[in-house]
């Protein structure tokens, strides 16, 4: 009962912040549309890349054109969610730089939650829409029955959720380091460079060591390839279970690290 | 003259302080290169081929794209845009110093610092991969490459200096800068080699200065192009043209800026 | 009178690295850096009772803000104990956080591109304020600070004074029992400063909210505080009522009289208490009790007085007195 109340309260705050965020960003109309345009361009680069490469071959490590598109689309959706919901967790960096983290720490709401959902970039919703569109297009062109698509989509949603949790946890792990340094610039795009690399099938890593790194250390495997695999090739118990385990482990480690970092937070001022 | 040198040195100092920034970028970009390395390697070892590029040329292409991005990309547009938007440009205008010279010296310091740091690491990486990639170099080629890179850097700097100056008219630079960086990175060949793209894009890029930022230097390095002088003269003409346009832009824009009593 | 805030032997130390100028030193710093320590707060103890308004006065870097941050749980002390409302702030318990508010004069907690009303509504959600309490508090606060017109205007379009008032409203919507204010009037014009002081005084009288404020404006302290704690270099050098402080360390006020023309030395000797003469301007140093009489004497005399100013001896002089005193 208590848990339900707390969950509802936090959800309400999240919705409220999303609403405020959207209001705030549409306050500058020109900027809002320019960014939507820029995000669309950026998304299209990923798609153009795949299209051009597959113009010269029809298979990358066992992935055909449409399957590869699903990987890219998954990456776009996860990235889109990272921006829209969490603003790539950049709030922690900005607040530390401007010394305004204090205002969030003193509130009776879990600090990590507040920092995560404080600002979102609503424009990136077009990334999600593009991704979804590409998935529909790709699924259309793959030989899957309607039943298969339905069943696979069900598990895909969970895999997508885990991918988001992992990407989010990576962002927390890396960007929380900004508590210890004065430099902010390096952090803003730190983790989206990693995410960007998830848009290629991880089967390309033909050395076992690299495969392992891409599975458990920087889990590119679970960030896009796995959801795509489940969607296009069907359920795989081992992979699905690992996905939950990796997501759980990363979330736990990142949370502990964040809480540790907060205790070390020294806001410099007189 | 010495005041610009001082700004240059200060800029290097500043870069030393913000070294976390520099080294974390290095670490990430090596990671990024690693992924591309595996992408092309696994394609080629499975018998595929991208256009008329050999594996060595493909991997070297992305190797250089990443390396050059680290060196060339300085936040010109951002800095200039913020100085206009926040009004801090005024303090510079009041001093006996040219704004262009000031911006250039500041960024030159960063570029030199970045080059020193990144060059060493990438050199080591390069020596490791040289044989695997079948790269051979001779003096003429390398010198051409260096001059080409310098010209490309100048074009990049000037173009984004002008993007920053557009703040005189737009009020803020972020969205425009972001869009322009995207478009330029595509047209300079950083996403895909220009000669692998449809013909209309390749033809369009011949009329724009961007291909000389990355595509041309890289093609020189990988010997995909003959070492003809026009490869250096055309970008040089662009540099001069962009410089003069930026001067005019500044002159007109500054009047507007001062008109607001900023 | 129950103690709301108890601080015992509080100490906070910062460490930092020495940075010398020059390119060579920057290179040296890569390999060897000297770590230095600064005691921001050095073994301080004090208590604050419910409903008191206490001022923390001191120069920059004295340790005021650091103390405030430890009381709100932002920083953890190196040594000592703190108890606020029977909570240990270090634990950052939600129950405690719902009962206090922190307003920092130089930091903006309102959303820049939106009207203050949106930030108010957000705080309502965050602090779990009931609709009824929210509406009541909002009405009362907005009326008291006279900002009815601006709560629907974008924050970035407001003046500094309007912004500060809005920040205050935002922080009081959840009826906190304790209010921490860090330099609340800094940078504001005289009228805004007065409005805010008047408001805080009335609010405290009505609600019995315990207020702890830091400032380096003497006027803030004199207008608002029952009690004053002076901090310098991390140590408390005075903790007591304002009146006592004034009597002890600032027994005099400065009266500046602007005359129409220069007054002869003879005339001035008759007045006594002359401190400094600058052409037509004469400064008198007069003890507090005698100010009224002295001013009356000057104004009712037939001296050609153009203007008269009575000012407080400035903070730094008082503090200097407190040190040497």
């Amino acid at each position: 009962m208590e848990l339900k109340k707390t969950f509802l309260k936090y959800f309400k705050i999240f919705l409220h912040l999303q609403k405020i965020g959207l209001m705030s960003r549409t306050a500058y109309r020109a900027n809002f549309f320019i960014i939507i345009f820029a995000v669309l361009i950026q998304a299209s680069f990923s798609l153009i890349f795949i299209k051009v490469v597959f113009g010269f071959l029809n298979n990358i490590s066992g992935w055909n054109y449409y399957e590869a598109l699903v990987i890219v689309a998954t990456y776009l959706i996860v990235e889109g969610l990272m921006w829209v919901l969490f603003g790539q967790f950049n709030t922690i960096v900005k607040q530390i730089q401007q010394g305004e983290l204090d205002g969030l720490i003193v509130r009776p709401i879990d600090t990590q939650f507040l920092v995560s959902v404080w600002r979102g970039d609503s424009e990136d919703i077009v990334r999600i829409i593009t991704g979804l569109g590409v998935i529909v297009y790709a699924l259309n062109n793959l030989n899957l029955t309607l039943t298969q698509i339905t069943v696979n989509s069900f598990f895909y949603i969970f895999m997508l959720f885990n991918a988001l949790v992992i990407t989010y946890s990576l962002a927390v792990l890396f960007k929380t380091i900004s508590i210890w340094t004065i430099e902010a610039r390096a952090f803003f795009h730190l983790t989206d460079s990693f995410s960007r690399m998830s848009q290629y099938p991880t089967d390309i890593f033909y050395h076992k060591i690299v495969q392992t790194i891409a599975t458990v250390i920087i889990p590119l495997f679970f960030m896009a390839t796995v959801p795509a695999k489940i969607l296009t090739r069907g359920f795989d118990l081992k992979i699905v279970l690992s996905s939950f385990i990796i997501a759980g482990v990363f979330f736990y480690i990142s949370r502990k690290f964040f809480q540790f970092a907060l205790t070390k937070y020294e806001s410099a001022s007189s | 003259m010495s005041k610009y040198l001082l700004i240059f040195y200060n800029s290097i100092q500043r870069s030393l302080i913000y070294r976390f920034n520099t080294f974390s970028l290095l670490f990430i970009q090596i990671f990024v290169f690693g992924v591309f390395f595996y992408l092309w390697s696994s394609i080629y070892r499975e018998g595929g081929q991208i256009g008329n590029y050999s594996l060595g040329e493909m991997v070297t292409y992305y190797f250089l794209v990443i390396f050059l991005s680290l060196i060339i990309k300085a936040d010109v547009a951002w800095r200039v845009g913020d100085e206009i938007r926040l009004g801090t440009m005024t303090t510079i205008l009041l001093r006996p110093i040219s704004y262009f010279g000031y911006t250039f010296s500041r960024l030159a310091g960063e570029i030199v610092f970045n080059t020193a740091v990144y060059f060493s690491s990438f050199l080591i990486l390069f020596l490791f991969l040289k044989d695997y990639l079948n790269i051979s170099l001779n003096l003429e080629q390398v010198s051409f490459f260096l001059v080409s890179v310098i010209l490309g850097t100048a074009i990049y700097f000037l173009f984004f200096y002008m993007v920053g100056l557009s703040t005189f008219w737009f009020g803020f630079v972020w969205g425009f800068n972001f869009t322009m960086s995207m478009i330029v990175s595509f047209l300079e060949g950083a996403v895909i080699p220009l000669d692998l793209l449809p013909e209309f894009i390749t033809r369009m890029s011949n009329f724009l200065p961007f291909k000389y930022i990355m595509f041309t230097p890289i093609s020189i390095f990988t010997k995909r192009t003959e070492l003809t002088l026009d490869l250096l003269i055309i970008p040089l003409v662009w540099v001069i043209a962009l410089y003069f346009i930026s001067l005019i832009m500044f002159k007109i824009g500054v009047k507007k800026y001062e008109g607001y009593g900023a | 009178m129950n103690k709301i805030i108890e601080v015992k032997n509080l100490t906070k130390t910062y460490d930092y690295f020495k940075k010398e100028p020059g390119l060579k030193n920057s290179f040296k710093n890569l390999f060897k850096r000297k770590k230095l320590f600064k005691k921001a707060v050095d073994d301080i103890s004090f208590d604050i009772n419910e409903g008191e308004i206490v001022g923390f006065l001191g120069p920059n870097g004295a340790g005021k803000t650091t103390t405030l941050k430890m009381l709100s749980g932002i920083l953890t002390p190196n040594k000592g104990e703190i108890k606020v409302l029977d909570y240990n702030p270090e634990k950052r318990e939600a129950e405690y956080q719902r009962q206090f508010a922190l307003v920092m004069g130089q930091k903006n907690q309102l959303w820049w591109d939106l009207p203050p009303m949106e930030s108010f509504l957000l705080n309502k959600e965050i602090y779990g304020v009931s609709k009824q309490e929210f509406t009541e508090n909002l009405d009362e606060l907005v009326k008291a600070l006279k900002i009815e017109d601006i709560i629907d205007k974008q924050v970035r379009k407001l003046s500094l004074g309007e912004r500060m008032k809005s920040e205050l409203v935002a922080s009081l919507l959840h009826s906190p029992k304790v209010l921490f204010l860090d330099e609340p009037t800094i940078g504001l014009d005289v009228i805004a400063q007065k409005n805010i002081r008047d408001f805080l005084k009335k609010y405290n009288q009505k609600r019995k909210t315990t207020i702890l404020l830091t400032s380096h404006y003497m006027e803030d302290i004199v207008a608002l505080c029952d009690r004053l704690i002076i901090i310098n270099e991390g140590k408390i050098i005075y903790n007591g009522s304002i009146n006592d402080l004034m009597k002890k360390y600032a027994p005099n006020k400065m009266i500046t009289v602007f005359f129409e023309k220069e007054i002869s030395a003879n005339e001035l000797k008759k007045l006594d208490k002359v401190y400094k003469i600058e052409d037509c301007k004469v400064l008198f140093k007069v003890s507090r009790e005698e100010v009224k009489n002295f001013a009356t004497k000057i104004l009712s005399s037939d001296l050609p007085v153009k203007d008269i100013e009575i000012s407080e001896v400035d903070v730094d002089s008082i503090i200097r007195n407190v040190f040497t005193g």
Side-chain angles (χ1 to χ4, degrees):
Chain A
M1 187 55 211
E2 261 311 310
L3 200 63
K4 188 173 172 202
K5 257 177 78 184
T6 316
F7 178 77
L8 274 174
K9 179 169 75 163
Y10 275 61
F11 189 64
K12 256 177 108 181
I13 294 177
F14 164 72
L15 282 180
H16 197 106
L17 283 166
Q18 280 289 315
K19 182 182 100 167
I20 294 190
L22 186 59
M23 284 169 69
S24 182
R25 299 186 78 81
T26 49
Y28 297 103
R29 260 195 344 191
N31 206 33
F32 186 72
F33 287 118
I34 290 181
I35 295 179
I36 288 190
F37 179 64
V39 168
L40 274 172
I41 293 187
Q42 197 182 39
S44 66
F45 284 172
S46 302
L47 298 168
I48 291 176
F49 181 84
I50 295 288
K51 184 133 208 312
V52 170
V53 170
F54 273 92
F56 296 104
L57 39 82
N58 49 26
N59 182 297
I60 296 182
S61 298
W63 293 78
N64 68 38
Y65 174 59
Y66 298 103
E67 292 172 331
L69 276 182
V70 174
I71 299 183
V72 173
T74 307
Y75 153 71
L76 289 175
I77 295 175
V78 174
E79 268 304 275
L81 289 168
M82 279 299 290
W83 281 111
V84 172
L85 300 176
F86 308 125
Q88 285 283 355
F89 202 67
N90 280 336
T91 304
I92 187 83
V93 185
K94 285 190 206 133
Q95 303 281 40
I96 289 174
Q97 196 187 23
Q98 291 165 359
E100 286 174 3
L101 192 59
D102 302 344
L104 292 179
I105 292 180
V106 297
R107 312 263 171 148
I109 299 285
D110 182 82
T111 307
Q112 183 178 349
F113 173 79
L114 215 49
V115 167
S116 303
V117 302
W118 193 248
R119 298 260 176 161
D121 286 18
S122 320
E123 299 90 351
D124 281 77
I125 199 131
V126 299
R127 228 188 274 263
I128 302 176
I129 297 175
T130 308
L132 289 172
V134 170
I135 288 188
V136 169
Y137 167 74
L139 285 180
N140 239 351
N141 283 288
L142 286 167
N143 292 330
L144 295 167
T145 69
L146 198 54
T147 332
Q148 281 178 308
I149 293 184
T150 320
V151 171
N152 294 355
S153 303
F154 175 75
F155 291 108
Y156 175 76
I157 293 180
F158 287 103
M159 297 298 97
L160 192 66
F161 175 76
N162 287 342
L164 181 63
V165 169
I166 293 173
T167 311
Y168 167 78
S169 306
L170 278 179
V172 171
L173 274 170
F174 282 100
K175 297 193 184 186
T176 304
I177 298 178
S178 66
I179 283 185
W180 279 278
T181 86
I182 45 163
E183 318 174 29
R185 263 182 7 168
F187 290 98
F188 289 124
H189 290 286
L190 198 55
T191 50
D192 57 36
S193 306
F194 287 127
S195 315
R196 231 175 359 115
M197 295 299 106
S198 73
Q199 62 184 314
Y200 311 109
T202 55
D203 301 82
I204 57 175
F205 301 125
Y206 53 82
H207 286 135
K208 193 118 199 278
I209 287 191
V210 186
Q211 262 289 348
T212 316
I213 295 178
T215 309
V216 290
I217 306 212
I218 306 279
L220 298 177
F221 181 53
F222 294 103
M223 280 155 72
T225 302
V226 157
K229 206 175 226 184
I230 300 295
L231 184 62
T232 57
R233 299 183 189 173
F235 181 80
D236 179 321
L237 184 65
K238 195 166 153 210
I239 292 182
V240 169
L241 281 179
S242 320
S243 169
F244 278 100
I245 294 176
I246 296 283
V249 168
F250 267 80
F251 183 74
Y252 179 79
I253 296 179
S254 63
R255 174 137 179 93
K256 283 292 169 214
F257 182 61
F258 183 83
Q259 288 172 324
F260 166 72
L262 268 194
T263 64
K264 291 289 174 197
Y265 173 65
E266 309 272 86
S267 55
S269 65
S270 53
Chain B
M1 182 55 209
S2 61
K3 60 191 169 202
Y4 295 111
L5 215 56
L6 193 63
I7 296 174
F8 175 77
Y9 275 134
N10 279 338
S11 182
I12 293 190
Q13 253 192 291
R14 206 173 161 276
S15 296
L16 267 170
I17 296 175
Y18 290 125
R19 55 188 178 270
F20 180 83
N21 188 34
T22 314
F23 287 103
S24 59
L25 265 176
L26 176 64
F27 169 70
I28 295 168
Q29 294 302 81
I30 290 183
F31 174 83
V32 170
F33 170 69
V35 175
F36 278 110
F37 173 82
Y38 276 101
L39 177 65
W40 304 128
S41 297
S42 73
I43 285 179
Y44 279 77
R45 81 208 290 258
E46 286 164 16
Q49 179 166 337
I50 311 287
N52 60 355
Y53 275 77
S54 70
L55 172 62
E57 287 170 334
M58 212 51 193
V59 174
T60 313
Y61 190 92
Y62 280 86
F63 177 81
L64 287 172
V65 165
I66 292 171
F67 175 57
L68 290 175
S69 300
L70 281 170
I71 294 183
I72 293 176
K73 315 255 154 163
D75 287 338
V76 202
W78 241 138
R79 307 275 188 86
V80 172
D82 266 0
E83 283 179 345
I84 296 176
R85 188 173 59 94
L86 300 170
T88 47
M89 189 190 245
T90 313
T91 44
I92 303 156
L93 295 175
L94 293 174
R95 298 193 185 148
I97 193 171
S98 107
Y99 184 72
F100 179 82
Y102 164 78
T103 309
F104 178 77
S105 315
R106 237 190 342 165
L107 287 149
E110 283 181 35
I111 292 178
V112 165
F113 178 78
N114 288 341
T115 309
V117 172
Y118 298 132
F119 180 73
S120 358
S121 349
F122 274 79
L123 184 64
I124 297 174
L125 197 56
F126 177 72
L127 291 172
F128 259 117
L129 296 170
K130 200 161 65 104
D131 297 321
Y132 177 75
L133 298 175
N134 280 332
I135 314 247
S136 61
L137 298 173
N138 62 51
L139 191 58
E140 194 196 0
Q141 187 189 354
V142 173
S143 2
F144 246 81
F145 171 71
L146 287 174
V147 176
S148 180
V149 168
I150 293 175
L151 289 170
T153 312
I155 291 179
Y156 182 88
F157 173 77
L158 285 167
F159 181 78
F160 280 96
Y161 175 67
M162 296 196 308
V163 168
L165 290 182
S166 73
T167 314
F168 282 135
W169 294 275
F170 291 152
F172 55 81
V173 78
W174 180 33
F176 186 50
N177 183 28
F178 184 34
T179 313
M180 280 289 112
S181 324
M182 295 277 123
I183 295 178
V184 168
S185 78
F186 189 79
L187 291 171
E188 68 188 358
V191 178
I192 301 183
L194 289 178
D195 53 2
L196 292 177
L197 288 167
E199 228 204 289
F200 77 93
I201 297 186
T202 328
R203 248 181 301 144
M204 179 172 61
S205 68
N206 284 330
F207 291 105
L208 296 167
F210 309 121
K211 80 170 195 183
Y212 299 101
I213 302 176
M214 286 229 183
F215 183 71
T216 305
I218 298 179
S219 304
I220 292 175
F221 191 88
T222 55
K223 287 214 204 77
R224 282 185 64 87
T225 175
E226 301 266 320
L227 299 181
T228 54
L229 268 181
D230 62 292
L231 286 179
L232 300 178
I233 296 190
I234 301 181
L236 182 61
V237 171
W238 272 112
V239 170
I240 298 174
L242 288 172
Y243 176 66
F244 280 108
I245 299 177
S246 75
L247 279 183
I248 299 173
M249 267 185 87
F250 183 77
K251 245 185 153 167
I252 302 178
V254 138
K255 278 207 193 77
K256 195 163 189 282
Y257 172 83
E258 285 162 351
Y260 281 126
Chain C
M1 268 283 198
N2 50 333
K3 297 205 191 106
I4 288 262
I5 301 179
E6 287 176 63
V7 172
K8 286 197 187 69
N9 305 110
L10 191 61
T11 304
K12 178 72 183 163
T13 317
Y14 283 120
D15 56 43
Y16 64 100
F17 292 106
K18 196 165 176 198
K19 230 177 264 178
E20 284 153 34
L23 193 59
K24 212 160 76 165
N25 281 317
S26 292
F27 274 110
K28 263 210 261 167
N29 271 339
L30 282 176
F31 303 107
K32 207 162 70 153
R33 293 191 290 186
K34 208 170 165 195
K35 203 176 202 181
L36 298 169
F37 293 94
K38 178 177 184 244
K39 266 210 178 116
V41 173
D42 194 356
D43 195 34
I44 63 172
S45 307
F46 61 89
D47 296 328
I48 297 183
N49 299 314
E50 186 178 6
E52 274 197 280
I53 305 184
V54 177
F56 257 75
L57 192 64
N60 283 328
K64 317 186 292 289
T65 308
T66 309
T67 308
L68 220 59
K69 286 189 178 175
M70 286 193 276
L71 289 170
S72 6
I74 295 172
L75 294 176
T76 46
N78 292 96
K79 272 192 228 145
E81 292 170 27
I82 306 180
K83 234 181 178 194
V84 182
L85 293 165
D86 274 333
Y87 290 96
N88 180 357
E90 205 181 323
K91 294 214 191 110
R92 295 185 188 159
E93 293 161 278
E95 268 313 304
Y96 169 54
Q97 294 178 318
R98 257 180 239 130
Q99 299 185 61
F100 77 84
L102 170 67
V103 180
M104 296 187 278
Q106 283 161 318
K107 305 272 175 71
N108 199 25
Q109 292 182 37
L110 304 169
W111 281 58
W112 194 246
D113 308 304
L114 298 173
M117 194 58 192
E118 289 302 335
S119 300
F120 298 161
L121 289 167
L122 181 64
N123 268 0
K124 170 180 175 299
E125 295 298 332
I126 290 183
Y127 285 94
V129 184
S130 73
K131 194 157 181 214
Q132 191 190 0
E133 188 184 352
F134 176 77
T135 325
E136 281 174 14
N137 283 346
L138 184 66
D139 283 341
E140 179 192 334
L141 293 165
V142 166
K143 243 186 234 132
L145 283 165
K146 300 199 190 57
I147 54 170
E148 298 96 336
D149 297 331
I150 57 140
I151 56 174
D152 288 315
K153 256 168 84 174
Q154 281 181 314
V155 168
R156 67 192 178 100
K157 297 213 174 101
L158 301 177
S159 72
L160 205 56
E162 290 167 335
R163 238 180 276 156
M164 197 55 216
K165 289 181 191 169
S166 307
E167 295 265 359
L168 273 177
V169 173
S171 68
L172 294 171
L173 288 166
H174 61 283
S175 313
K177 293 209 184 82
V178 180
L179 180 59
F180 297 120
L181 296 170
D182 190 32
E183 314 259 11
T185 60
I186 197 167
L188 299 181
D189 64 86
V190 179
I191 297 187
Q193 284 185 354
K194 182 164 191 318
N195 286 344
I196 288 183
R197 283 181 210 133
D198 290 343
F199 164 76
L200 287 171
K201 193 89 193 172
K202 281 205 201 90
Y203 188 83
N204 159 264
Q205 276 165 356
K206 181 165 180 214
R207 298 271 197 137
K208 299 279 177 282
T209 315
T210 311
I211 301 182
L212 181 51
L213 80 120
T214 71
S215 185
H216 57 260
Y217 290 135
M218 198 60 186
E219 292 88 344
D220 281 349
I221 312 290
V222 171
L224 285 172
C225 303
D226 311 316
R227 193 149 56 96
L228 167 65
I229 298 179
I230 301 186
I231 284 195
N232 189 43
E233 290 181 1
K235 288 204 197 292
I236 293 184
I237 53 180
Y238 181 80
N239 181 355
S241 82
I242 303 252
N243 286 329
D244 293 341
L245 177 75
M246 290 305 207
K247 274 194 219 128
K248 195 167 170 199
Y249 294 105
N252 302 314
K253 278 205 179 203
M254 211 56 98
I255 299 186
T256 311
V257 186
F258 296 87
F259 292 100
E260 303 268 347
K261 59 182 191 350
E262 281 193 44
I263 306 293
S264 71
N266 272 337
E267 292 272 359
L268 285 173
K269 236 189 262 169
K270 272 196 257 167
L271 288 171
D272 186 26
K273 307 210 190 301
V274 174
Y275 182 72
K276 199 155 86 169
I277 304 177
E278 288 170 15
D279 302 323
C280 296
K281 187 166 91 173
V282 182
L283 283 84
F284 299 89
K285 203 170 184 186
V286 181
S287 76
R288 284 178 184 277
E289 302 86 45
E290 295 182 28
V291 163
K292 191 163 155 209
N293 287 335
F294 189 81
T296 316
K297 195 168 83 180
I298 294 247
L299 289 170
S300 54
S301 75
D302 46 10
L303 290 166
V305 175
K306 193 162 82 169
D307 196 359
I308 185 169
E309 256 175 36
I310 304 177
S311 56
E312 200 56 74
V313 177
D314 67 287
V315 181
D316 299 305
S317 318
I318 296 184
I319 297 203
R320 240 177 285 133
N321 278 343
V322 175
F323 297 160
T324 59

